[in-house]
Amino acid sequence: MQGTVDGLSYGLVTPLVAYLTACLGGALGLRCTTRSMAVTGARRPGLLALGSAALGSGIWTMHYIAMTGFTVKGTTLHYDRAMTFASLALAIAMAGVGIFIVGYRGATGAALFTGGTITGLGIASMHYLGMASISLHGELEYNTLTVAASVVIAMTAATAALWAAGQVKGFLWSVGASLVMGLAVTGAHYTGMAALTVHVHGTSAPATGESAGALLAPMLTGPLALLVLAAVVVILDPMMISGPKAVTPAGRRPGVPAHPEAHSARHPTPTRRRLRYRGPVEHRTRTPQQR
């Protein structure tokens, strides 16, 4: 028997909150990536690791916030704890690979394509692993073409977001990149849910696993706390928001020569004339006839 699937049991509240969470995770992750391109040394891998954790947590949190509004008529949903944790680790790991590639290689060419592809695959993989953690009295089936469409959406939007973040052109570019990344995560999720069909078995046996309320509420605390911590780090570092200030070359500052040697060559210091001793002053007084 085909079950009635309702992905919006709380109306538009869950999609909106899920999208905002994805945008927050994307904003923090991509801003850390942008900032890492302007630093060297040990700070770069630290920023990229923080960005990976923030982006992966945003992806995971978005999925499970959206899943709180997902119900199937005729059966209850339970979640396997181990697979739920594994989906969080997978999201952070694959997002991290994409961010580290772009952070070290730049958001151009093959590095951008590879990083965007891996990040997009991480979004899709996290979604379907999270769906595999569901236990219910029935079976989940997916339409292959719609699943492929969800993967393409995730890869394309993730690549566009990494490209925008890699431009290092200011805070507004980072905001735009975070909105695109939120679209990638949310779009891939709901496209994947549109591919889902549930066949319910007529049985009253209890499903294995834990209920959504018992499992998801405590588990969401950790990733949300990480997002708050990452937001504090970004806020306390003004360079993370405004970006590095452009340094004006010395040659363009008014009144300051670009190269003192060149300035001296163009404007040589006048030499002092050597004065000949011509005797006392009174001997040099000119007579009226000499005038």
Side-chain angles (χ1 to χ4, degrees), residues 105-122:
R105 298 293 183 181
T108 56
L112 176 62
F113 175 77
T114 305
T117 299
I118 293 176
T119 302
L121 290 176

mmCIF file of all heavy atoms in Angstrom, residues 105-122:
data_model
loop_
_atom_site.group_PDB
_atom_site.id
_atom_site.type_symbol
_atom_site.label_atom_id
_atom_site.label_comp_id
_atom_site.label_asym_id
_atom_site.label_seq_id
_atom_site.Cartn_x
_atom_site.Cartn_y
_atom_site.Cartn_z
ATOM 1 N N ARG A 105 43.962 26.167 -3.664
ATOM 2 C CA ARG A 105 44.188 26.267 -5.103
ATOM 3 C C ARG A 105 43.514 27.473 -5.740
ATOM 4 O O ARG A 105 43.838 27.838 -6.871
ATOM 5 C CB ARG A 105 43.699 24.991 -5.796
ATOM 6 C CG ARG A 105 44.434 23.740 -5.369
ATOM 7 C CD ARG A 105 45.882 23.770 -5.809
ATOM 8 N NE ARG A 105 46.574 22.538 -5.452
ATOM 9 C CZ ARG A 105 47.862 22.309 -5.708
ATOM 10 N NH1 ARG A 105 48.577 23.254 -6.304
ATOM 11 N NH2 ARG A 105 48.413 21.184 -5.344
ATOM 12 N N GLY A 106 42.562 28.078 -5.025
ATOM 13 C CA GLY A 106 41.844 29.213 -5.585
ATOM 14 C C GLY A 106 40.557 28.774 -6.266
ATOM 15 O O GLY A 106 40.402 27.616 -6.682
ATOM 16 N N ALA A 107 39.635 29.711 -6.387
ATOM 17 C CA ALA A 107 38.320 29.415 -6.967
ATOM 18 C C ALA A 107 38.329 29.633 -8.467
ATOM 19 O O ALA A 107 37.561 30.426 -9.016
ATOM 20 C CB ALA A 107 37.242 30.276 -6.301
ATOM 21 N N THR A 108 39.210 28.932 -9.157
ATOM 22 C CA THR A 108 39.302 29.042 -10.612
ATOM 23 C C THR A 108 39.610 27.672 -11.201
ATOM 24 O O THR A 108 40.239 26.831 -10.558
ATOM 25 C CB THR A 108 40.414 30.022 -11.043
ATOM 26 O OG1 THR A 108 41.665 29.601 -10.459
ATOM 27 C CG2 THR A 108 40.112 31.438 -10.587
ATOM 28 N N GLY A 109 39.172 27.484 -12.437
ATOM 29 C CA GLY A 109 39.565 26.318 -13.213
ATOM 30 C C GLY A 109 39.208 24.988 -12.585
ATOM 31 O O GLY A 109 38.129 24.784 -12.033
ATOM 32 N N ALA A 110 40.169 24.065 -12.685
ATOM 33 C CA ALA A 110 39.935 22.696 -12.235
ATOM 34 C C ALA A 110 39.701 22.623 -10.735
ATOM 35 O O ALA A 110 38.920 21.786 -10.267
ATOM 36 C CB ALA A 110 41.125 21.816 -12.626
ATOM 37 N N ALA A 111 40.373 23.484 -9.960
ATOM 38 C CA ALA A 111 40.192 23.461 -8.502
ATOM 39 C C ALA A 111 38.751 23.805 -8.126
ATOM 40 O O ALA A 111 38.158 23.166 -7.247
ATOM 41 C CB ALA A 111 41.161 24.432 -7.840
ATOM 42 N N LEU A 112 38.190 24.810 -8.780
ATOM 43 C CA LEU A 112 36.810 25.194 -8.498
ATOM 44 C C LEU A 112 35.846 24.086 -8.897
ATOM 45 O O LEU A 112 34.921 23.755 -8.143
ATOM 46 C CB LEU A 112 36.467 26.481 -9.237
ATOM 47 C CG LEU A 112 35.015 26.959 -9.112
ATOM 48 C CD1 LEU A 112 34.677 27.276 -7.665
ATOM 49 C CD2 LEU A 112 34.781 28.182 -9.988
ATOM 50 N N PHE A 113 36.052 23.505 -10.066
ATOM 51 C CA PHE A 113 35.170 22.427 -10.518
ATOM 52 C C PHE A 113 35.252 21.226 -9.578
ATOM 53 O O PHE A 113 34.227 20.659 -9.183
ATOM 54 C CB PHE A 113 35.547 22.001 -11.942
ATOM 55 C CG PHE A 113 34.766 20.821 -12.458
ATOM 56 C CD1 PHE A 113 33.463 20.977 -12.903
ATOM 57 C CD2 PHE A 113 35.336 19.554 -12.471
ATOM 58 C CE1 PHE A 113 32.736 19.885 -13.365
ATOM 59 C CE2 PHE A 113 34.627 18.463 -12.938
ATOM 60 C CZ PHE A 113 33.315 18.625 -13.384
ATOM 61 N N THR A 114 36.471 20.859 -9.201
ATOM 62 C CA THR A 114 36.631 19.704 -8.306
ATOM 63 C C THR A 114 36.046 19.981 -6.933
ATOM 64 O O THR A 114 35.321 19.157 -6.369
ATOM 65 C CB THR A 114 38.125 19.354 -8.174
ATOM 66 O OG1 THR A 114 38.684 19.137 -9.475
ATOM 67 C CG2 THR A 114 38.306 18.101 -7.331
ATOM 68 N N GLY A 115 36.368 21.161 -6.374
ATOM 69 C CA GLY A 115 35.849 21.494 -5.059
ATOM 70 C C GLY A 115 34.341 21.600 -5.036
ATOM 71 O O GLY A 115 33.681 21.094 -4.107
ATOM 72 N N GLY A 116 33.748 22.238 -6.054
ATOM 73 C CA GLY A 116 32.297 22.352 -6.118
ATOM 74 C C GLY A 116 31.621 21.009 -6.305
ATOM 75 O O GLY A 116 30.562 20.740 -5.720
ATOM 76 N N THR A 117 32.231 20.145 -7.135
ATOM 77 C CA THR A 117 31.649 18.821 -7.365
ATOM 78 C C THR A 117 31.651 17.991 -6.094
ATOM 79 O O THR A 117 30.646 17.352 -5.739
ATOM 80 C CB THR A 117 32.425 18.094 -8.474
ATOM 81 O OG1 THR A 117 32.343 18.851 -9.692
ATOM 82 C CG2 THR A 117 31.862 16.699 -8.702
ATOM 83 N N ILE A 118 32.785 17.998 -5.376
ATOM 84 C CA ILE A 118 32.872 17.199 -4.147
ATOM 85 C C ILE A 118 31.923 17.735 -3.083
ATOM 86 O O ILE A 118 31.251 16.969 -2.379
ATOM 87 C CB ILE A 118 34.325 17.176 -3.642
ATOM 88 C CG1 ILE A 118 35.211 16.413 -4.636
ATOM 89 C CG2 ILE A 118 34.404 16.525 -2.261
ATOM 90 C CD1 ILE A 118 36.672 16.420 -4.281
ATOM 91 N N THR A 119 31.856 19.066 -2.958
ATOM 92 C CA THR A 119 30.933 19.646 -1.971
ATOM 93 C C THR A 119 29.487 19.312 -2.320
ATOM 94 O O THR A 119 28.683 18.960 -1.440
ATOM 95 C CB THR A 119 31.124 21.164 -1.903
ATOM 96 O OG1 THR A 119 32.480 21.467 -1.566
ATOM 97 C CG2 THR A 119 30.201 21.783 -0.860
ATOM 98 N N GLY A 120 29.128 19.416 -3.601
ATOM 99 C CA GLY A 120 27.773 19.071 -4.017
ATOM 100 C C GLY A 120 27.458 17.598 -3.783
ATOM 101 O O GLY A 120 26.352 17.253 -3.331
ATOM 102 N N LEU A 121 28.412 16.732 -4.078
ATOM 103 C CA LEU A 121 28.202 15.308 -3.807
ATOM 104 C C LEU A 121 28.078 15.050 -2.314
ATOM 105 O O LEU A 121 27.340 14.154 -1.891
ATOM 106 C CB LEU A 121 29.357 14.493 -4.397
ATOM 107 C CG LEU A 121 29.406 14.408 -5.928
ATOM 108 C CD1 LEU A 121 30.661 13.660 -6.371
ATOM 109 C CD2 LEU A 121 28.161 13.725 -6.482
ATOM 110 N N GLY A 122 28.793 15.845 -1.513
ATOM 111 C CA GLY A 122 28.658 15.711 -0.069
ATOM 112 C C GLY A 122 27.263 16.071 0.409
ATOM 113 O O GLY A 122 26.698 15.411 1.290
#
